[in-house]
Amino acid sequence: VINDERTLIAVKPDGVQRRLVGQIIQRFEQRGFKLVGLKMLQVSEDLLSQHYCQLRQKPFYPSLLQYMTSGPVVVMVWEGLNVVQTSRAMVGHTNPAEAQAGTVRGDFSFHVSRNVVHASDSLEGAQREIQLWFQGNELLNWVCCDQTSTYEL
């Protein structure tokens, strides 16, 4: 494996409802990242309370739970060189009003409470979130045919 850094990207209910999943996947594929896990699910409050454990005391937490359980989410694990940091830049600022054009949120999001996508914020966060959302056997280790042309060996 050239670089096994991984991150969790989740298309939130508003992104799924608005049929943006394909366009979001396309951006990560075009960037050269490798998809190693993908699933669609209706998220439980239990999983969300673990995922958003640092936000439980915030006043917006109940509305966040309501929003995230309002429809299906598509959750993915992407692998590649500096994938955590690069994904954060690709996704854009949490508040779409401050997100640059060309980022997922800058192009598709209208309001901070409906910001289309989640991206892990650190290597440690990514590892924690991936373990929370995926069983080990749901993640694939595979060699992508373009690896030798996209990475220096």
Side-chain angles (χ1 to χ4, degrees), residues 96-111:
E98 298 172 36
Q100 299 247 336
T103 64
V104 174
R105 290 176 177 152
D107 292 349
F108 299 128
S109 186
F110 309 114
H111 191 270

Side-chain angles (χ1 to χ4, degrees), residues 102-133:
T103 64
V104 174
R105 290 176 177 152
D107 292 349
F108 299 128
S109 186
F110 309 114
H111 191 270
V112 69
S113 70
R114 300 288 182 270
N115 62 12
V116 180
V117 69
H118 164 82
S120 300
D121 63 0
S122 65
L123 266 175
E124 300 73 30
Q127 289 166 346
R128 182 185 76 81
E129 292 172 358
I130 290 166
Q131 288 177 345
L132 198 57
W133 289 83

Side-chain angles (χ1 to χ4, degrees), residues 50-117:
Q50 293 175 69
H51 180 84
Y52 289 121
C53 58
Q54 75 284 7
L55 301 177
R56 279 191 210 146
Q57 303 308 317
K58 301 281 187 185
F60 60 82
Y61 183 73
S63 61
L64 176 64
L65 276 187
Q66 186 177 12
Y67 157 56
M68 289 296 293
T69 57
S70 69
V73 301
V74 172
V75 64
M76 303 169 268
V77 177
W78 291 92
E79 182 178 285
L81 186 64
N82 298 319
V83 71
V84 174
Q85 183 181 350
T86 305
S87 294
R88 294 288 292 182
M90 290 170 63
V91 163
H93 199 282
T94 304
N95 184 346
E98 298 172 36
Q100 299 247 336
T103 64
V104 174
R105 290 176 177 152
D107 292 349
F108 299 128
S109 186
F110 309 114
H111 191 270
V112 69
S113 70
R114 300 288 182 270
N115 62 12
V116 180
V117 69

